[in-house]
């Protein structure tokens, strides 16, 4: 229930005639991280897509979902990792204010273009996609998977089955991609595969954006359940989209690269990277790294400079739980990174106490020896 590295000791009681008790104890270290992402789903009107997305996200313990009507929502956009906009933005002051808040908070957004979306407000929002020559009509469009998409992967089953799913309702018009936009799905209208995007992704100033140019996700889930009796593939697509959008990369100018668990015969290795304001690697400033054990004893180090970064081999440490803190001063700013790790006992010789006759026979044959049994 709490984050950090937790130490557990598993012990078996001794049984009669047991040869050794040494391998009856095992120490394990489990790291609990805070990965629960907060997702806000806002809409201009009720729609079954909203329940479809919420139900999918609630199958995963990694997401906390809030659903609200835009006109009634009074929370803070910055409290969320991802905002899903269904049939938004609209041509209202509340909608314009919402887009401004999303940009100010640098929160990722997933836009689902429904029948009630305002094309002018959508184009003005600067999502990396514009819709022109729209006449207010809707097209039936089916998904076609892009061959060159690389932001995240889809299973072979999903790639194969998705083209058979029922069509979404997509606003008619010409879709123009602006900048680096990566389509995952294209639109198939009737029997014609087009270059019009159905689901595409972009990133601007650290804020990720996805646009689904149609509504009716609930039809996909319904069709899959009718055919397969589950929602595995539609859930995979929704969860993959949300996971990509909600996870933020570490953009700190100072970064420590290390593991959270070492064996007692392994040296503790730390690498560090420091970026200047031009996002260039530098290593002129000195990096100090301190390691502290459970008893509060501190081990102090200065990291060595590599060609453009830093490296530290702190040697082997006893079994236990440790914290580290690294610090560097770049210009007039001081940056720190801290974390935790554990050192686990290595008991290879006591993990298996039954004779390996195959190994003994191989050893004998390779050395010109022989194997003899008691008889």
């Amino acid at each position: 229930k709490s984050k950090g590295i937790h130490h557990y000791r598993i012990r078996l009681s001794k049984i009669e005639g047991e040869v050794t008790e040494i391998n009856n104890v095992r120490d394990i270290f489990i790291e609990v991280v805070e990965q629960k992402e907060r997702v806000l789903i806002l809409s201009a009107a009720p729609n079954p897509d909203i329940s479809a997305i919420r139900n999918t996200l609630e199958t995963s313990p990694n997401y906390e979902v809030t659903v609200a009507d835009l006109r009634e929502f009074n929370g803070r956009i910055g409290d969320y990792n991802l905002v899903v906009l269904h049939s938004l933005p609209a041509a209202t002051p509340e909608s314009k204010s919402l887009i401004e808040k999303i940009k100010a908070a640098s929160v990722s957004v997933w836009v689902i273009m429904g029948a009630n979306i305002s094309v002018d407000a959508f184009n003005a929002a600067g999502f990396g996609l514009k819709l022109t020559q729209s006449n207010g009509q809707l097209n039936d469009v089916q998904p076609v998977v892009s061959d060159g998409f690389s932001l995240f992967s889809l299973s072979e089953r999903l790639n194969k089955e998705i083209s058979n799913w029922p069509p979404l309702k997509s606003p008619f018009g010409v879709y123009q991609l602006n900048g680096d936009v990566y389509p995952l799905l294209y639109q198939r209208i009737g029997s014609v595969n087009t270059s019009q995007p159905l689901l595409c992704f972009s990133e601007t100033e650290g804020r990720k954006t996805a646009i689904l140019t149609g509504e009716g996700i609930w039809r996909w889930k319904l069709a899959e359940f009718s055919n397969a009796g589950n929602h595995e593939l539609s859930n995979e697509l929704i969860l993959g989209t949300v996971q990509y959008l909600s996870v933020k990369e570490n953009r700190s100018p100072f970064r420590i690269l290390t593991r959270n668990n070492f064996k007692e015969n392994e040296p503790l290795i730390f690498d560090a990277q420091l970026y200047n304001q031009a996002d260039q690697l530098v290593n002129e400033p000195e990096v100090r790294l301190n390691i502290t054990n459970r008893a509060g004893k501190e081990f102090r180090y200065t990291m060595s400079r590599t060609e453009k970064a830093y490296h530290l081999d702190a040697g082997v440490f006893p079994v236990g739980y440790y914290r580290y803190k690294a610090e560097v001063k770049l210009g007039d700013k001081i940056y720190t990174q801290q974390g935790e790790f554990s050192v686990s006992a290595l008991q290879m010789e006591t993990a298996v106490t039954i004779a390996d006759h195959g190994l003994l026979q191989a050893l004998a044959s390779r050395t010109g020896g022989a194997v003899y049994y008691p008889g």
Side-chain angles (χ1 to χ4, degrees):
K1 293 183 179 180
S2 59
K3 67 177 182 178
I5 295 181
H6 300 269
H7 175 204
Y8 292 89
R9 170 163 290 185
I10 304 171
R11 184 188 300 275
L12 298 178
S13 58
K14 183 180 179 181
I15 61 174
E16 185 177 353
E18 191 168 1
V19 177
T20 177
E21 295 179 64
I22 297 176
N23 63 343
N24 284 18
V25 178
R26 179 66 54 89
D27 289 286
I28 63 172
F29 295 85
I30 297 178
E31 182 181 17
V32 178
V33 295
E34 286 186 327
Q35 279 192 323
K36 179 161 284 193
E37 310 286 351
R38 301 190 68 194
V39 178
L40 172 64
I41 304 176
L42 291 176
S43 64
N47 190 286
D49 278 354
I50 297 169
S51 292
I53 296 172
R54 180 183 61 193
N55 292 341
T56 294
L57 297 182
E58 288 178 346
T59 65
S60 169
N62 294 334
Y63 300 104
E64 178 183 316
V65 184
T66 301
V67 176
D69 186 295
L70 174 59
R71 293 161 294 188
E72 301 172 356
F73 178 72
N74 56 9
R76 289 183 66 255
I77 294 298
D79 291 339
Y80 296 90
N81 302 91
L82 170 65
V83 178
V84 181
L85 303 178
H86 195 284
S87 291
L88 290 171
T92 63
E94 297 95 338
S95 181
K96 183 179 180 180
S97 174
L98 170 67
I99 300 302
E100 292 173 353
K101 290 176 181 177
I102 289 174
K103 291 181 178 180
S106 193
V107 175
S108 297
V109 61
W110 182 10
V111 180
I112 299 174
M113 300 180 67
N116 298 323
I117 196 169
S118 167
V119 174
D120 290 339
F122 172 81
N123 289 340
F127 289 130
L129 183 69
K130 283 193 173 183
L131 175 59
T132 61
Q133 302 179 30
S134 177
N135 60 8
Q137 301 297 313
L138 298 175
N139 275 337
D140 285 339
V141 299
Q142 287 184 283
V144 178
V145 178
S146 168
D147 292 331
F149 186 79
S150 60
L151 298 182
F152 58 89
S153 60
L154 302 180
S155 66
E156 291 185 13
R157 283 182 58 217
L158 179 54
N159 277 316
K160 181 179 178 181
E161 295 294 333
I162 194 171
S163 60
N164 298 321
W165 288 356
L168 303 184
K169 297 289 185 179
S170 177
F172 173 85
V174 177
Y175 291 88
Q176 298 176 346
L177 303 178
N178 300 320
D180 294 328
V181 180
Y182 305 93
L184 169 58
L185 303 175
Y186 288 105
Q187 298 180 12
R188 185 174 75 214
I189 303 175
S191 59
V192 178
N193 292 346
T194 74
S195 59
Q196 303 269 69
L198 179 57
L199 178 60
C200 58
F201 298 81
S202 64
E203 183 171 356
T204 305
E205 298 177 352
R207 187 185 73 255
K208 298 176 183 177
T209 300
I211 301 173
L212 181 67
T213 61
E215 66 177 15
I217 293 176
W218 64 272
R219 294 187 180 93
W220 288 354
K221 293 178 70 71
L222 206 63
E224 184 186 6
F225 192 84
S226 176
N227 294 330
N230 58 57
H231 301 121
E232 288 181 8
L233 299 182
S234 53
N235 283 354
E236 178 190 339
L237 179 62
I238 294 172
L239 288 171
T241 298
V242 170
Q243 181 177 347
Y244 169 76
L245 293 172
S246 62
V247 172
K248 284 187 176 279
E249 299 177 8
N250 178 14
R251 296 191 176 274
S252 168
F254 181 44
R255 307 167 192 177
I256 294 292
L257 310 174
T258 190
R259 289 156 48 189
N260 59 24
N261 181 259
F262 298 88
K263 295 295 184 183
E264 62 179 329
N265 66 335
E266 292 180 314
L268 307 184
I269 301 296
F270 296 85
D271 289 289
Q273 297 173 341
L274 181 64
Y275 292 83
N276 61 18
Q277 291 185 346
D279 208 28
Q280 299 169 322
L281 277 171
V282 294
N283 64 353
E284 290 83 8
E286 189 174 77
V287 174
R288 297 185 180 276
L289 187 143
N290 297 339
I291 300 174
T292 308
N293 64 15
R294 275 194 185 276
K297 184 177 180 180
E298 195 171 61
F299 305 86
R300 300 182 178 183
Y301 300 90
T302 299
M303 299 191 74
S304 303
R305 295 178 176 88
T306 60
E307 184 179 355
K308 290 185 177 181
Y310 301 87
H311 180 80
L312 172 65
D313 181 343
V316 297
F317 268 55
V319 173
Y321 163 84
Y322 300 86
R323 297 179 183 272
Y324 69 85
K325 181 177 180 180
E327 184 176 283
V328 65
K329 183 177 181 181
L330 180 62
D332 58 352
K333 292 185 178 180
I334 296 178
Y335 299 98
T336 61
Q337 290 288 339
Q338 51 191 354
E340 306 164 330
F341 65 91
S342 61
V343 177
S344 302
L346 184 70
Q347 296 181 341
M348 294 295 290
E349 65 275 45
T350 60
V352 178
T353 56
I354 300 174
D356 187 340
H357 291 272
L359 173 64
L360 298 175
Q361 289 175 343
L363 181 63
S365 64
R366 289 180 184 177
T367 56
V371 173
Y372 297 95
Y373 291 95

